[in-house]
Amino acid sequence: MLRSIVLTLIVAGMAQAAPAAAAGVKVAVVAPVEGPFALLGKQIIDGASFQASDRGSEIVVIPETCDAAGADALTKALLAAGAEAAIGFLCTESLEATLPALAEANIPAITLSVRSDILMEDVLKKNWPLFRLAPSGKAESASIVAAITALWKDKPIALIDDGTIHSRELVESVRSALSEIGLTPVFTDAYRPAQEQQVSLVRRLVKSGATHVFTGGDRQDAAVIARDAQEEGASLTLLGGDTLNAADVSVPLADGVLALTLPDAAQSAEGKPVADAMRAAGIEPEGYVLPAFGAMSLLEQAKDQAEKDEKPLVEALLKGPYQTVLGPIAFDAGHERADNSYRLMQWQAGRFVPVADPAGAQ
């Protein structure tokens, strides 16, 4: 009971709604319950359901198969749930299948993970009620360019990718943006990913004169490059994108590696009290747990605003910002987060920490 009271006060404070907390809302939680993504689905369900009933909210779990063959069943289940909104959606296929029906029913959906920019273009063209908590690919690229411009403008820069579509497109986007402001890398290359060593790549980087390297590759490759650079005695400052925020595979990431990624909400002033309450209840606030909880809080506050304004929930979602465990959230006209949530982080002692002094990242 004490835990319930404490958390209710936390959420009421975040909502900034006096004298009571935000209104309860019935939400369809679309998430995998079996298969390879079941663990991620459980994180979404745990986060959405945590204390929902104590705040007057209700969730209805709708299994997500991420399979086009199950699109009709998913759409029917969503409409039959009687929900006022839907959250989750790990897969683009699920959204593409259900959004036309959700638009017709005027039911807003919030995706926690899908980052397709093409999908969001369709959202605007077709007036679909989709909002995205996950940052866009454009936001990631913009953050990387801003960091390089601010910190490495006078440094010999290298841009490398691992040949995959995501990595290649991200690096090309960064290269193009830097070119527009007159910054030309001294070295660009595509390396072969998932190798046990990258000594030849490190030697080519050193030979080019590059001292600061942006990689569009994943965490394992970045860890191998950082290790081999250290063993070769090469002084390379390594920066990566959000893919670096993952678990170690076979080589631990070296201290000092930089990444433009999302801060751990469980360590923030807004998120830590909720994360502590979750741990006390046996729920580890990892992955999608806190984003799902934040989406529920966001919808509760938006419903409260909708009732005050006598407007649809879709319109209220555009009226933020609303205070959540992820910080204040507002959506722009494109249904994207109005703020860029990427931050410059540095790997230290087993976790990414904010770079308090940007000069230290040089």
Side-chain angles (χ1 to χ4, degrees), residues 23-354:
V25 60
K26 186 174 184 180
V27 177
V29 179
V30 181
V33 297
E34 58 184 16
F37 302 123
L39 178 59
L40 301 180
K42 185 177 185 302
Q43 293 173 355
I44 295 173
I45 295 167
D46 284 348
S49 61
F50 188 69
Q51 292 290 326
S53 61
D54 285 357
R55 300 191 304 276
S57 292
E58 178 185 356
I59 71 164
V60 180
V61 176
I62 309 291
E64 182 180 20
T65 63
C66 297
D67 184 354
D72 288 342
L74 176 60
T75 301
K76 290 177 181 177
L78 264 173
L79 296 178
E84 301 164 83
I87 69 169
F89 300 100
L90 285 181
C91 303
T92 304
E93 294 86 352
S94 304
L95 288 168
E96 291 175 338
T98 59
L99 279 172
L102 292 177
E104 187 173 346
N106 205 28
I107 298 173
I110 298 177
T111 176
L112 306 181
S113 65
V114 173
R115 302 192 181 193
S116 168
D117 290 332
I118 294 175
L119 175 65
M120 295 310 289
E121 291 174 5
D122 288 340
V123 165
L124 292 182
K125 290 177 184 176
K126 301 175 182 180
N127 199 29
W128 285 341
L130 175 66
F131 297 83
R132 177 156 65 179
L133 279 188
S136 69
K138 292 178 182 177
E140 181 180 17
S141 174
S143 297
I144 293 165
V145 171
I148 291 175
T149 303
L151 303 176
W152 296 358
K153 195 171 185 178
D154 58 347
K155 310 293 184 183
I157 302 167
L159 304 178
I160 57 176
D161 70 81
D162 65 7
T164 62
I165 293 175
H166 171 76
S167 178
R168 188 171 63 248
E169 289 182 348
L170 177 60
V171 170
E172 174 56 26
S173 176
V174 171
R175 186 206 62 76
S176 178
L178 292 176
S179 176
E180 290 180 1
I181 57 177
L183 290 181
T184 302
V186 299
F187 181 84
T188 58
D189 197 10
Y191 62 86
R192 188 176 179 183
Q195 301 299 296
E196 293 183 1
Q197 55 87 16
Q198 293 285 359
V199 174
S200 63
L201 171 63
V202 169
R203 290 174 178 172
R204 292 199 305 275
L205 286 165
V206 171
K207 186 176 180 180
S208 74
T211 57
H212 292 67
V213 183
F214 171 71
T215 173
D218 65 18
R219 181 186 177 99
Q220 173 65 6
D221 288 329
V224 170
I225 293 168
R227 179 205 63 192
D228 290 353
Q230 187 175 39
E231 291 180 354
E232 287 287 306
S235 180
L236 298 178
T237 300
L238 200 62
L239 169 68
D242 194 39
T243 56
L244 266 59
N245 196 358
D248 285 329
V249 181
S250 59
V251 178
L253 194 64
D255 282 354
V257 173
L258 300 165
L260 265 299
T261 187
L262 307 180
D264 182 3
Q267 300 297 323
S268 70
E270 302 92 341
K272 192 175 186 306
V274 177
D276 290 345
M278 286 180 170
R279 290 191 179 100
I283 298 172
E284 183 59 33
E286 61 185 356
Y288 292 110
V289 175
L290 285 176
F293 181 90
M296 285 293 296
S297 174
L298 173 68
L299 286 169
E300 288 163 352
Q301 295 172 67
K303 182 182 178 181
D304 188 59
Q305 187 66 52
E307 291 179 345
K308 289 179 182 178
D309 296 343
E310 298 182 350
K311 298 286 187 180
L313 183 57
V314 172
E315 293 186 27
L317 283 167
L318 290 166
K319 198 168 182 176
Y322 298 109
Q323 300 299 320
T324 77
V325 292
L326 306 178
I329 292 178
F331 295 105
D332 60 22
H335 293 197
E336 304 271 15
R337 287 188 60 166
D339 67 312
N340 190 328
S341 48
Y342 284 107
R343 298 290 182 268
L344 182 62
M345 311 284 282
Q346 188 171 54
W347 187 256
Q348 291 290 345
R351 67 188 182 97
F352 276 113
V353 297

